[in-house]
Amino acid sequence: LEDLKWLMGSKRGRRIVWRLLDQAGVFRLSFNTNAMQMAFAEGGRNEGLRTLALIHEACPDQYAVMLKEATSE
């Protein structure tokens, strides 16, 4: 958790985390008519959601900052 606080403590770190969460599919649906593709996408999304939960545990205030920065660019 301390490492995550450190990473989220800078604008550059928050950009990295935002990109990872986005690539994991946290902010979109994983539905696919191909069950194997959907299962693969859900695996990545699950890891992203675990990271998001850690962020909310370690530094929820920095999540709000990251969200503002990501949506204003």
Side-chain angles (χ1 to χ4, degrees), residues 8-19:
M8 292 288 289
S10 72
K11 189 171 185 174
R12 181 179 288 172
R14 290 187 296 272
R15 278 196 313 263
I16 291 169
V17 172
W18 183 264
R19 193 175 318 116

Side-chain angles (χ1 to χ4, degrees), residues 9-73:
S10 72
K11 189 171 185 174
R12 181 179 288 172
R14 290 187 296 272
R15 278 196 313 263
I16 291 169
V17 172
W18 183 264
R19 193 175 318 116
L20 291 173
L21 292 174
D22 184 53
Q23 289 173 346
V26 169
F27 309 113
R28 64 180 176 273
L29 295 175
S30 324
F31 178 77
N32 192 307
T33 55
N34 181 313
M36 296 304 285
Q37 287 181 351
M38 188 166 71
F40 181 80
E42 273 299 302
R45 188 168 187 269
N46 186 52
E47 268 311 299
L49 290 172
R50 291 171 81 192
T51 301
L52 187 58
L54 287 173
I55 291 168
H56 285 299
E57 180 182 342
C59 49
D61 52 326
Q62 292 298 324
Y63 176 76
V65 173
M66 179 177 67
L67 183 60
K68 185 177 179 182
E69 290 170 348
T71 56
S72 67
E73 293 177 357

Side-chain angles (χ1 to χ4, degrees), residues 1-7 51 53-59:
L1 291 179
E2 289 301 316
D3 292 340
L4 192 53
K5 285 182 192 178
W6 174 82
L7 183 61
T51 301
L54 287 173
I55 291 168
H56 285 299
E57 180 182 342
C59 49

